[in-house]
Amino acid sequence: MSRTVIVVLDGFGIGAMPDAGALRPGDLAADTCGHVLDACRAATGRALRLPGLGALGLGVVHPHPDLARATPLPVSVGRAALGYPGADTFAGHQTMMGADFSRVTVARLAEHLPEVTAALKAAGHAVTPLDGRPLLVVDDAVLVHDNLEADPGINWNASGRIDDLPFADILAVARTVRTVAPVARVIAVGGHADGPLPRFVRDGDGGTVGLDTPATGFYRNGGLEVHHLGAALDHSRQLPDLAARSGIPVTLVGKAADILVCEAAERRPAVATAEVVAHTLQAVRGAGRDALVVANVQETDLAGHQQDAARFGRVLEEADAGLFELLGLLDAPGDRLIVTGDHGNDPTIGHAYHTREYVPVLVHRPGGSGTEIRGDAPTLADVGATAAAALGLDAGALANGSAGR
């Protein structure tokens, strides 16, 4: 009998992986957690208030003067390597739920313009390049372009202003692109922009060209609509579907509701951290003795993209208050609260991309004793396997990952 809750602090890394500098050498200095703590203390003269993360053992796995170095709670703590190339939310969550994403194809749109153009024209769309650049304008309204928020070549986007056309039309373009795209995901994005989208096109790293989505105003103007079209995966071998087939109620909260596949799951999408926390708490309070809840706190990642350490700190404090409340709710032997990240997004690193960092794996184990310090997990898939074991499921039924926390 277990209520198992996985909370993903999106973009919350705790130090660069050894290969973090392969694309950007400066990323070897990345430490999202430490740099946010330092920046917030420098700006406010006080430490961030993170009693929940402190009680879960964050300061044990990532020592810092502003974090508690010990906890009286029964916890297992460690860190995980990502287990997939680059640093990407979609690949991170799919891996975390048990997929083997170690062979994600990396490709820039420029390398596949002929087949993408042909597919769109065959579907009845008008297609032209934008000013001769490797970026397509579809039906004079939708831009098909490299995603500039993940590492180069991991994702492509189809972006449009929902003032100009319905989101369903943007999604239709993205679905056509998905039929020929070799990348991990094609993302349909619609929102209210501060002007015509071509104004916000810029060069990215590694020869990519795309829309600077944060600069458009999509994230701050309200009405954002996003749909993630992933590469083909056997979702039956991921944690949500495995749990649902075993009769365990599954709730997906925040961005997890957008990017994880499980037909039986209850979905509670949200971006605002207060809403994510409220949905998560409500799901736990309404759960029986068996339940799986997977929640994503997205605003940490948005603050990283905006290179705004102060906002990152505020969101962490808001999310932490929810974690502290969850600790009080998940108090029965067998319950688990697992807090982790999907990649890094250091807001002090000097660019607006994800950073390839280890992430914390903090597990509250009511009924246990003391603090267990684990070695580095080789992949985020171990998070899903650990949750499966807590739920009494066969972790070996997942495509990837080993239990042990």
Side-chain angles (χ1 to χ4, degrees):
M1 307 284 281
S2 173
R3 296 172 298 172
T4 295
V5 179
I6 301 173
V7 176
V8 183
L9 300 175
D10 205 312
F12 191 59
I14 57 171
M17 290 177 55
D19 60 354
L23 178 63
R24 295 175 291 269
D27 282 9
L28 282 171
D31 178 2
T32 300
C33 176
H35 291 160
V36 168
L37 290 170
D38 291 341
C40 290
R41 175 174 279 280
T44 66
R46 67 164 180 87
L48 287 179
R49 299 183 180 95
L50 303 174
L53 286 166
L56 285 160
L58 178 61
V60 178
V61 71
H62 186 285
H64 188 279
D66 289 346
L67 295 173
R69 295 296 297 270
T71 173
L73 295 184
V75 296
S76 169
V77 301
R79 62 180 190 171
L82 302 185
Y84 64 89
D88 176 64
T89 294
F90 180 82
H93 281 69
Q94 303 305 328
T95 299
M96 193 183 301
M97 293 298 106
D100 184 356
F101 243 65
S102 61
R103 297 182 180 274
V104 169
T105 300
V106 176
R108 290 142 185 83
L109 180 61
E111 301 161 359
H112 296 272
L113 285 176
E115 55 264 51
V116 174
T117 299
L120 287 166
K121 288 184 174 180
H125 297 286
V127 185
T128 57
L130 178 66
D131 300 329
R133 307 176 81 183
L135 178 148
L136 301 176
V137 182
V138 182
D139 300 333
D140 294 322
V142 180
L143 299 186
V144 175
H145 58 92
D146 292 309
N147 179 297
L148 302 185
E149 296 175 68
D151 280 347
I154 295 290
N155 306 317
W156 298 348
N157 282 22
S159 304
R161 303 196 318 167
I162 54 179
D163 304 291
D164 299 334
L165 76 172
F167 181 70
D169 292 353
I170 302 169
L171 181 57
V173 170
R175 291 192 189 282
T176 299
V177 174
R178 174 74 274 176
T179 64
V180 293
V183 295
R185 60 177 163 156
V186 175
I187 309 171
V189 183
H192 300 288
D194 294 335
L197 294 188
R199 278 177 40 191
F200 305 102
V201 169
R202 64 171 175 80
D203 294 334
D205 282 357
T208 57
V209 179
L211 188 69
D212 186 339
T213 304
T216 64
F218 276 1
Y219 293 142
R220 64 177 181 274
N221 290 338
L224 181 69
E225 296 193 59
V226 180
H227 192 90
H228 301 261
L229 302 172
L233 291 172
D234 184 355
H235 297 293
S236 70
R237 299 191 66 190
Q238 290 186 285
L239 177 63
D241 201 71
L242 179 63
R245 293 199 317 272
S246 299
I248 296 172
V250 178
T251 305
L252 304 176
V253 180
K255 198 169 185 177
D258 296 329
I259 59 180
L260 297 179
V261 173
C262 178
E263 289 187 6
E266 180 177 353
R267 297 180 183 275
R268 301 183 181 183
V271 175
T273 302
E275 292 183 42
V276 172
V277 168
H279 285 317
T280 305
L281 291 170
Q282 184 181 33
V284 173
R285 291 190 180 109
R289 285 303 308 136
D290 283 313
L292 170 65
V293 181
V294 183
N296 173 283
V297 176
Q298 184 181 0
E299 286 191 303
T300 42
D301 190 51
L302 298 182
H305 287 308
Q306 293 165 351
Q307 292 288 276
D308 189 340
R311 182 188 179 194
F312 204 121
R314 291 193 299 272
V315 175
L316 270 184
E317 288 189 327
E318 189 173 13
D320 187 272
L323 295 177
F324 196 76
E325 195 165 351
L326 283 169
L327 285 171
L329 293 174
L330 298 166
D331 58 356
D335 285 348
R336 291 291 184 272
L337 172 59
I338 304 174
V339 178
T340 188
D342 51 353
H343 50 74
N345 198 340
D346 190 330
T348 72
I349 203 69
H351 60 70
Y353 304 109
H354 294 159
T355 43
R356 187 166 167 79
E357 299 179 53
Y358 291 101
V359 296
V361 183
L362 313 175
V363 185
H364 180 225
R365 305 172 301 161
S369 62
T371 298
E372 181 180 10
I373 301 175
R374 308 287 300 190
D376 289 348
T379 169
L380 278 170
D382 285 9
V383 172
T386 297
L391 289 162
L393 304 173
D394 177 13
L398 302 175
N400 193 16
S402 299
R405 293 185 184 277

